Amino acid sequence: MKRSYKVLLLTMLVFIFSTSVVFAAEVEPAVNANKFGLWTLLPPLVAIILAFITKNVVISLFIGILSGSFLISLAGHNVFGAFIQAFLDFVNRALNSLADPWNAGIVLQVLAIGGVINLVAKMGGAKAIAEALAKKAKTVKSTQMTTWLLGLCVFFDDYANSLIVGPIMRPVADKMKISRERLAFIIDATAAPVAGLAIISTWIGLEVSLIGEGFSSIGVEASGFGVFLQTIPYRFYNILILAFIVITALTLKEFGPMRKAEIAARNRDKNIKDEVAVEATAQMDELEPKEGVKLSIWNAIIPIGALIISALVAFYYSGYSAIIGGDPSATQEIMINSPFSFKGIMEAFAASDASVALFQSALFASIVAILMGVCKKIFTLSEAIEVWVDGMKGLIITGVILILAWSLGSVIKELGTAYYLVEVLKGAIPAFLLPSLIFILGAVISFSTGTAYGTMSILMPLAIPLAYSINPDMSFVVVCTSAVLTGAIFGDHCSPISDTTILSSMGAGCNHIEHVKTQIWYSLFVAAVTILFGYIPSGFGVPIYIVLPISLIALYVGVQIFGKKVEEA
């Protein structure tokens, strides 16, 4: 028996070492693209298809990585050895991803911000701000605008947005006879769209990292954060959905199923059944203030203010140091002669190391929040640290997705997937249509999987090289990059299986299916404006200062044409 085990072990080692030469060799991605051809599409396709089937982005990304590693490790017909080598390759890629100082900083930043959010919630700061704003709501218009404004204030995390804004504004909305469906829509539309745009949030780590990796894959040295800033004006869906809320709230014009829900709400008795709200309240327990805490808006303003201000200072200092310490250039001259001019500040931000700056600011804000809690005798020091660590737990999944996304990106890069796609599609897609097609593809994947994170992770490594091959102009690549981010958020916003869609329903105390049915028509309308008046003109190279105002005008005109006024009760 022991002899059999020895033979088996020896056989396994032979298989492993017989493939180790292939594993160790660095093969040019272009060579792999020619070698594997259509098979280079296997990792992203496996990830996408499994995401559709399982609705689990972690499993999908993991198996997608393994499939790519298997192809790279495959030598001749040594399938068994390739499977073992694929697993070892995955472990290697995951370790290398986390060992990279940039990536480690991003993961730590996400976790630290989660800790700050939990501290602010337990000190009663978030609830205090929400209640202070809720007191300003006196009419249907002001209630909707207050909900919108509160959604903008909770910019740092989409989950926190859904779980904080809904329960606070729900009683006010009921009093003003605003439908739960409308409330859920406003909450949902200010969750992911706002967090995806914010320069300080639990989203920016993934977005900046994927952008940086994408530009690195095409051999272009670019700051991920600098490109992220450039994409903001082109994030048409995010901007337009926020404008859509304002337009419909101020005009009181609605259409589709939402209008029926609003009419029914205006005609109903104030004392409505609240079964869904019970479940939402249970979800809110984690963000409820510590028992006996006196609510104060300063318990939120000071820690979040420290996070924002220290982040801005860290971004500037990081970029300033990088420029001054670099080779002489026109940018260096600007920093020496006018370091605090608008141009100087923007150059510093673009050259900054976002990973380090965000972690520095998140750690500083954490210390401020912990000291506040201890000094105000809300927590003991050990309790404060425990609350901070507890806040990280909900974002561990984000760290896992980040590591898997980086690993999948490295597999796709090594296989030469982007090279293959570029060769196949280079002459097949008109340049002006590419941003719109990327937006639609991102929306389909995100809608089907319920995750914007997973969609960005799969699509970004493919979209940037493809855009660069079709039109190497950087402004065009930036537009296509923004289309990945916005398409992912649009699909996530509509998807009935998205976490934020579910949490928005619960936070508003709204039936989930009714929320999806009423919201999707508004999302599709804004997406249509995004494509027709945003990405298609941008694909033709029309300047953003023309495209964005025209998009907003088209949105307003569309509401006037399709919408009908719902009178206040």
Side-chain angles (χ1 to χ4, degrees):
M1 198 68 174
K2 288 182 179 178
R3 180 179 174 81
S4 300
Y5 282 136
K6 287 179 181 177
V7 171
L8 178 62
L9 182 61
L10 184 62
T11 305
M12 287 176 66
L13 288 172
V14 169
F15 273 125
I16 290 170
F17 287 117
S18 68
T19 56
S20 62
V21 176
V22 178
F23 175 66
E26 280 292 327
V27 183
E28 284 293 323
V31 175
N32 271 337
N34 290 327
K35 176 183 175 183
F36 293 110
L38 191 63
W39 287 104
T40 61
L41 299 176
L42 185 66
L45 281 178
V46 166
I48 292 168
I49 292 167
L50 282 178
F52 287 168
I53 296 169
T54 65
K55 314 301 180 190
N56 190 309
V57 70
V58 172
I59 293 172
S60 306
L61 288 171
F62 173 66
I63 297 178
I65 296 162
L66 282 182
S67 67
S69 294
F70 174 77
L71 279 179
I72 292 168
S73 305
L74 193 59
H77 300 288
N78 194 350
V79 177
F80 181 69
F83 272 120
I84 296 172
Q85 200 65 63
F87 178 76
L88 297 177
D89 186 30
F90 163 74
V91 173
N92 232 15
R93 290 179 193 278
L95 288 173
N96 288 337
S97 296
L98 201 53
D100 185 281
W102 167 275
N103 294 348
I106 292 297
V107 172
L108 290 171
Q109 167 258 328
V110 168
L111 295 177
I113 287 182
V116 174
I117 292 168
N118 203 38
L119 282 165
V120 168
K122 294 301 180 187
M123 289 193 296
K127 190 170 185 178
I129 284 184
E131 289 185 351
L133 283 173
K135 289 175 183 176
K136 304 292 183 184
K138 304 293 183 185
T139 64
V140 171
K141 290 181 183 180
S142 64
T143 300
Q144 294 188 45
M145 288 305 299
T146 300
T147 308
W148 178 81
L149 182 61
L150 186 53
L152 296 185
C153 289
V154 190
F155 58 85
F156 40 81
D157 182 67
D158 53 329
Y159 286 11
N161 184 308
S162 300
L163 291 173
I164 290 170
V165 178
I168 295 301
M169 293 306 299
R170 189 170 61 229
V172 186
D174 287 348
K175 182 182 175 184
M176 294 297 145
K177 294 191 174 183
I178 297 169
S179 68
R180 294 280 178 85
E181 290 85 352
R182 176 72 185 178
L183 177 64
F185 165 66
I186 298 174
I187 295 166
D188 208 351
T190 54
V194 171
L197 281 175
I199 63 168
I200 304 164
S201 73
T202 52
W203 282 59
I204 190 172
L206 178 70
E207 294 173 310
V208 168
S209 174
L210 291 173
I211 291 169
E213 289 285 328
F215 274 82
S216 174
S217 71
I218 58 174
V220 175
E221 286 189 20
S223 160
F225 183 70
V227 177
F228 172 85
L229 292 177
Q230 292 177 55
T231 67
I232 290 176
Y234 297 99
R235 307 283 283 278
F236 296 115
Y237 182 80
N238 302 48
I239 296 168
L240 293 177
I241 198 73
L242 294 173
F244 180 81
I245 296 170
V246 175
I247 293 167
T248 51
L250 295 179
T251 61
L252 293 179
K253 287 193 172 183
E254 312 281 355
F255 58 85
M258 188 70 79
R259 186 167 187 273
K260 293 178 182 177
E262 280 291 272
I263 291 171
R266 298 288 196 276
N267 294 328
R268 79 184 171 204
D269 182 54
K270 285 182 187 177
N271 300 316
I272 62 170
K273 291 182 179 180
D274 219 21
E275 297 94 340
V276 183
V278 174
E279 192 178 356
T281 303
Q283 290 286 324
M284 270 297 293
D285 286 345
E286 291 182 11
L287 289 171
E288 276 296 304
K290 185 181 176 184
E291 192 174 343
V293 170
K294 183 181 178 183
L295 299 184
S296 169
I297 61 171
W298 295 107
N299 290 351
I301 290 174
I302 292 175
I304 299 300
L307 177 66
I308 296 168
I309 293 168
S310 62
L312 296 176
V313 172
F315 276 130
Y316 179 82
Y317 178 74
S318 172
Y320 176 85
S321 302
I323 292 169
I324 293 297
D327 296 328
S329 62
T331 305
Q332 196 176 78
E333 288 295 319
I334 293 170
M335 299 309 294
I336 293 170
N337 297 324
S338 50
F340 297 110
S341 64
F342 179 76
K343 179 70 174 172
I345 292 170
M346 290 307 294
E347 290 291 349
F349 269 55
S352 65
D353 186 332
S355 170
V356 173
L358 285 167
F359 180 50
Q360 288 170 339
S361 60
L363 196 57
F364 176 72
S366 299
I367 294 168
V368 170
I370 288 170
L371 290 176
M372 268 194 73
V374 172
C375 292
K376 296 183 89 169
K377 296 183 177 177
I378 297 171
F379 313 114
T380 64
L381 181 59
S382 60
E383 282 177 338
I385 293 172
E386 190 177 328
V387 169
W388 182 64
V389 172
D390 197 50
M392 296 181 181
K393 292 176 184 175
L395 290 168
I396 288 174
I397 187 66
T398 302
V400 172
I401 291 172
L402 279 167
I403 293 167
L404 291 172
W406 292 323
S407 301
L408 180 64
S410 71
V411 168
I412 288 173
K413 182 179 179 182
E414 190 172 337
L415 271 175
T417 307
Y419 283 92
Y420 177 76
L421 272 179
V422 165
E423 288 304 312
V424 171
L425 300 176
K426 193 156 45 178
I429 300 175
F432 78 93
L433 277 181
L434 186 61
S436 301
L437 292 174
I438 291 172
F439 174 80
I440 292 167
L441 181 58
V444 170
I445 297 170
S446 188
F447 179 85
S448 304
T449 61
T451 168
Y453 275 27
T455 303
M456 293 174 188
S457 304
I458 294 166
L459 203 52
M460 192 69 79
L462 305 177
I464 290 177
L466 182 59
Y468 185 73
S469 71
I470 290 176
N471 184 351
D473 181 68
M474 276 300 108
S475 61
F476 179 77
V477 181
V478 166
V479 173
C480 292
T481 303
S482 78
V484 175
L485 303 174
T486 353
I489 286 175
F490 161 54
D492 178 84
H493 191 201
C494 296
S495 176
I497 58 172
S498 161
D499 289 348
T500 46
T501 307
I502 293 165
L503 290 174
S504 298
S505 302
M506 297 174 69
C510 172
N511 177 276
H512 180 58
I513 300 303
E514 290 303 314
H515 168 46
V516 174
K517 281 167 56 179
T518 50
Q519 173 171 273
I520 196 166
W521 293 102
Y522 282 2
S523 297
L524 288 170
F525 170 72
V526 174
V529 175
T530 293
I531 293 169
L532 295 174
F533 298 92
Y535 283 123
I536 289 179
S538 295
F540 278 114
V542 180
I544 189 62
Y545 57 80
I546 295 175
V547 174
L548 195 53
I550 289 176
S551 299
L552 291 167
I553 292 168
L555 192 72
Y556 179 80
V557 171
V559 171
Q560 299 306 310
I561 292 171
F562 296 111
K564 293 183 181 179
K565 192 165 185 176
V566 179
E567 298 296 336
E568 296 196 46

